[in-house]
Amino acid sequence: MTYQEFFSMVKEKLAGADVSSIQEHLAYQFNITGEAEGIFYVEVRDGKLYVEPYEYYDRDVIFTCKAETLIKIAEGKLDPVVAFTMQKLKVDGSIEKALKLKELF
């Protein structure tokens, strides 16, 4: 799988996310390693969700993982906390905001 294919899949998956109940600003950068390597960000701002294929410098959290790990999290097959505990997901930044990742998927 290429980065472009992976990014398109993630963007499509997140397109239906209801973020209207999230009142705070959230900005996540995802650094994907291995197959489909690349960077993208997800931002919740003013009740809207933005997913863009580039680095975001005003981020709250950076998640680093393989594409397959993020796919499992997005499909609900892997809890992000478990992924972190198993060292399949690296988290840098606000742990409080990182825990809100579940609300997007």
Side-chain angles (χ1 to χ4, degrees):
M1 174 184 316
T2 67
Y3 168 76
Q4 217 37 1
E5 292 167 335
F6 174 71
F7 177 75
S8 294
M9 184 175 64
V10 169
K11 191 166 184 170
E12 183 179 316
K13 178 78 173 165
L14 289 170
D18 179 12
V19 296
S20 60
S21 65
I22 300 174
Q23 299 303 314
E24 65 187 304
H25 177 260
L26 298 175
Y28 299 134
Q29 179 173 308
F30 292 86
N31 296 344
I32 305 303
T33 61
E35 183 183 2
E37 182 175 339
I39 295 173
F40 68 94
Y41 82 87
V42 176
E43 179 182 27
V44 177
R45 180 179 32 145
D46 301 325
K48 295 183 181 173
L49 181 71
Y50 302 90
V51 182
E52 298 296 335
Y54 46 83
E55 196 164 355
Y56 190 75
Y57 293 99
D58 190 22
R59 59 198 171 236
D60 300 308
V61 182
I62 298 174
F63 294 104
T64 304
C65 64
K66 292 184 177 182
E68 62 215 36
T69 300
L70 188 57
I71 290 169
K72 288 178 183 177
I73 291 170
E75 292 175 343
K77 295 179 181 175
L78 179 62
D79 184 281
V81 175
V82 172
F84 175 77
T85 304
M86 295 171 52
Q87 299 180 0
K88 292 185 176 208
L89 178 65
K90 182 179 175 190
V91 180
D92 292 313
S94 169
I95 296 299
E96 179 184 331
K97 290 194 175 191
L99 290 170
K100 296 181 184 285
L101 177 66
K102 288 176 148 183
E103 296 178 35
L104 298 181
F105 292 111

